[in-house]
Amino acid sequence: MVNNGSLTYDHDRDGRPTELGGCTAMVRNLNHDTFLVIRYVKRRLTVLIDIDGKHEWRDCIDVPGVRLPRGYYFGTSSVTGDLSDNHDIISLKLYQLTVERTPEEEKRDREVYLPVVDNLKLPGMEAPLEPMSGLALFLIVFFSLVAIVFAIVIGVIVYNKWQEQSRKHFY
């Protein structure tokens, strides 16, 4: 999740509305430590996991277009919702990677003031729907009226048949 302070984490749905991505890792009842690598290089956020304890990294997520400003914070949590799991974050190691950048990339990265993700649709940020064309509106109204007339005709026929059946009773 990338947040600029305007979003809240939805605990009831495990953060699904605002997640960038995710993966499944079976980490219950293991006799060894599991590791997670979060790497942010050139506007690309990648997450790798090692759940086998063999230092063999498996891709979890890879999200391009993540723009993070300088001087902000990373947050971690071991909250698992209503589950009975107990996860501990033992350590957190942060490294500043040295990456060669062009002057244009350096200038572009300095201009980021709020954390954002390119092409991410967040709740309440959907584009407004395009209005219907005149032809589509006409066809919807026309076929709705035809269906209503058809239903009325069927109703009248069924009512008349019922009336005829009720007149034929001999006592």
Side-chain angles (χ1 to χ4, degrees):
M1 171 179 180
V2 172
N3 190 354
N4 61 10
S6 65
L7 303 174
T8 58
Y9 185 82
D10 186 355
H11 289 279
D12 294 334
R13 295 190 287 169
D14 289 333
R16 294 276 190 242
T18 54
E19 76 177 5
L20 294 178
C23 64
T24 302
M26 300 299 174
V27 295
R28 286 192 178 113
N29 303 321
L30 297 177
N31 293 327
H32 57 273
D33 292 338
T34 56
F35 298 94
L36 176 78
V37 171
I38 303 171
R39 183 178 293 150
Y40 176 69
V41 178
K42 292 190 174 184
R43 294 188 176 191
R44 179 176 290 277
L45 181 68
T46 56
V47 177
L48 305 165
I49 58 174
D50 173 23
I51 58 171
D52 299 323
K54 298 178 182 176
H55 299 291
E56 294 175 0
W57 300 101
R58 188 182 82 190
D59 289 336
C60 180
I61 63 169
D62 185 1
V63 183
V66 177
R67 293 185 279 160
L68 299 176
R70 296 178 181 185
Y72 277 67
Y73 302 94
F74 280 96
T76 60
S77 173
S78 62
V79 172
T80 59
D82 291 335
L83 301 176
S84 60
D85 291 341
N86 182 14
H87 299 282
D88 296 323
I89 299 173
I90 303 298
S91 68
L92 192 62
K93 298 178 184 178
L94 302 175
Y95 301 97
Q96 181 172 340
L97 301 176
T98 304
V99 178
E100 291 186 25
R101 298 179 188 200
T102 64
E104 178 183 299
E105 288 176 329
E106 190 68 32
K107 182 180 181 226
R108 185 182 66 196
D109 287 343
R110 280 194 187 127
E111 294 172 353
V112 177
Y113 295 107
L114 288 176
V116 294
V117 179
D118 298 337
N119 302 320
L120 177 67
K121 293 180 182 175
L122 294 174
M125 303 290 285
E126 293 88 14
L129 294 175
E130 203 172 291
M132 279 193 268
S133 68
L135 177 63
L137 187 60
F138 169 76
L139 290 175
I140 289 173
V141 170
F142 176 75
F143 285 115
S144 297
L145 289 175
V146 167
I148 290 171
V149 168
F150 183 73
I152 290 172
V153 168
I154 295 295
V156 168
I157 291 172
V158 168
Y159 179 74
N160 286 336
K161 291 286 186 187
W162 179 72
Q163 285 289 349
E164 285 178 24
Q165 292 293 347
S166 66
R167 280 189 226 143
K168 293 182 181 178
H169 289 294
F170 296 105
Y171 296 107

